[in-house]
Amino acid sequence: MIVLMGLAGSGKSTQGRKLAEATGRVWLSAGQILRETGEYDEILKQGKLVDDMLTVKLMAQEMAKVVRSGKDAILDGFPRDIEQAEWIAGNIAQVIKIVVRINVPKEELMRRLIIRGRADDTKEVIEERFRITEQNIYSVCEILATKGIKIVDIDGTGTPEEVFARLSSVITEVENE
C-alpha cells in the first residue's frame, strides 16, 4: 500500500486518483469515505476529525475489500493522527511500501481550497484543518518510520502533471528497490 499525506488542498486526492488509474491500485480516501456515509457532515463542516476508531473501522473495511479483490491500495488522508498511525503500525505496517508527503505552501493551499469551493471549505474550517493536521503529521510519520516504512517528501506545487511526474518517480524508485 501507498500512503499519501499532506494538508488539505495539497493534491492528495488528485494524485491518488491519477496514481490509481496509472497503476491499477484502488484509491481509498478517508475523507471521501466519511463524506459518503452522510453521518459525519456536521463534524466535517467544522473542520474537526471524526472519532479515530470509527475512521479506522471504516478504512479497515474498505482495505479488506481491496485485499480480497487481489489489488493494492493508495490511502489518502489515513492515518491522520497518532491513534490511527499506531493502529497501522500494529496491524498493517508490513504492507505499507511508502508514505509520500505532498508539500505545498499554505498560501497556495488556501487559494486552491477557495477555488475548489466545497461546502466545508470556509477560511475558518480550512485553518482548523491545517492546525489539526500539522499537529499530527510529523508524529504520524515518526511512528510509521519506526516500523521501517519509507517516508518521502515531494514538492506539490506546479501543474497536476508535474506533481504526478514527481510522485511516479518516487513510487517507481521504491518498487524497484
Side-chain angles (χ1 to χ4, degrees):
M1 288 188 195
I2 296 167
V3 176
L4 299 180
M5 298 183 102
L7 293 176
S10 63
K12 296 181 306 293
S13 295
T14 298
Q15 297 305 321
R17 285 191 289 264
K18 286 174 83 70
L19 189 60
E21 185 178 313
T23 64
R25 289 179 170 95
V26 177
W27 172 68
L28 294 177
S29 163
Q32 186 67 27
I33 290 166
L34 290 166
R35 280 188 294 278
E36 285 174 0
T37 69
E39 296 177 39
Y40 311 104
D41 292 348
E42 284 308 308
I43 295 169
L44 296 172
K45 283 179 187 172
Q46 296 171 32
K48 306 276 188 230
L49 297 179
V50 173
D51 177 75
D52 283 322
M53 288 297 99
L54 219 66
T55 304
V56 166
K57 180 182 174 188
L58 288 170
M59 289 300 288
Q61 289 170 347
E62 294 300 318
M63 286 184 275
K65 288 179 195 173
V66 171
V67 170
R68 283 193 301 272
S69 75
K71 294 191 175 188
D72 194 7
I74 299 161
L75 305 181
D76 167 354
F78 181 82
R80 183 155 278 176
D81 62 25
I82 292 168
E83 193 169 352
Q84 293 174 8
E86 287 173 345
W87 181 86
I88 282 184
N91 292 281
I92 64 167
Q94 68 280 3
V95 299
I96 305 290
K97 293 179 181 124
I98 187 171
V99 173
V100 180
R101 291 185 295 208
I102 303 173
N103 299 311
V104 179
K106 280 188 189 172
E107 303 77 37
E108 173 65 12
L109 293 173
M110 189 65 79
R111 186 188 70 74
R112 289 179 183 184
L113 291 169
I114 297 300
I115 289 170
R116 178 171 78 178
R118 214 170 59 201
D120 59 339
D121 282 341
T122 65
K123 189 173 190 298
E124 296 76 25
V125 169
I126 292 167
E127 288 172 353
E128 178 68 4
R129 274 191 260 148
F130 285 174
R131 185 187 67 73
I132 291 170
T133 304
E134 282 180 322
Q135 281 179 332
N136 293 319
I137 201 164
Y138 293 102
S139 299
V140 165
C141 288
E142 284 178 17
I143 290 166
L144 299 178
T146 64
K147 289 295 190 175
I149 298 170
K150 184 173 186 164
I151 314 289
V152 176
D153 290 288
I154 65 167
D155 178 2
T157 60
T159 66
E161 293 75 22
E162 291 168 334
V163 177
F164 186 69
R166 289 182 210 117
L167 176 61
S168 295
S169 174
V170 166
I171 299 303
T172 299
E173 186 179 304
V174 167
E175 290 179 333
N176 290 331
E177 287 180 348

